[in-house]
């Protein structure tokens, strides 16, 4: 095998290795992006700042909603920080619901107690 072919193969393998994590990312088809649900004055149960996605878990009465957000780096760009929310905070949320009807979805917007609005994607 000549040197050019070896270099090409090495570059192709390196590119494949870099692109592989992106291929593992899931589709957003599980969220109904034609609908949105708004919940007001819900309690934050948990705020998980981690890769690959941030999660906000809120309680509305007896129902717990798990809301998926963007990556920490994307969230940072829209004004979020690792300590933006803490358990017990009261917030308003707008999200795209899960298609299967379970309580949860993709968080679109959160309004904090101080009135600050933060997008989640």
């Amino acid at each position: 095998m000549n040197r050019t072919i070896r270099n090409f193969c090495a570059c192709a393998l390196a590119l494949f290795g870099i692109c592989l994590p992106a291929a593992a990312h899931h589709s957003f088809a599980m969220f109904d992006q034609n609908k949105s649900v708004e919940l007001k004055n819900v309690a934050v149960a948990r705020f998980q700042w981690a890769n690959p996605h941030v999660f906000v878990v809120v309680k509305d009465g007896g129902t717990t909603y798990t809301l998926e957000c963007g990556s920490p780096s994307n969230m940072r760009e829209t004004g979020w920080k690792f300590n933006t929310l803490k358990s017990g905070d009261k917030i308003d949320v707008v999200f795209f619901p899960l298609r299967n009807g379970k309580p949860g979805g993709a968080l679109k917007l959160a309004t904090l107690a101080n009135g600050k609005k933060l997008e989640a994607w």
Side-chain angles (χ1 to χ4, degrees), residues 53-109:
H53 294 279
V54 173
F55 282 89
V56 177
V57 179
V58 297
K59 289 192 177 193
D60 183 34
T63 306
T64 301
Y65 294 83
T66 300
L67 305 174
E68 185 173 335
C69 306
S71 69
S73 61
N74 288 348
M75 298 282 284
R76 210 174 290 113
E77 289 176 15
T78 61
W80 292 83
K81 296 179 185 173
F82 72 95
N83 60 353
T84 298
L85 298 175
K86 63 184 181 306
S87 185
D89 286 353
K90 296 288 191 167
I91 62 173
D92 298 342
V93 294
V94 177
F95 62 93
F96 299 118
L98 288 167
R99 289 186 188 275
N100 66 10
K102 292 184 179 179
L107 184 63
K108 180 179 176 185
L109 178 71

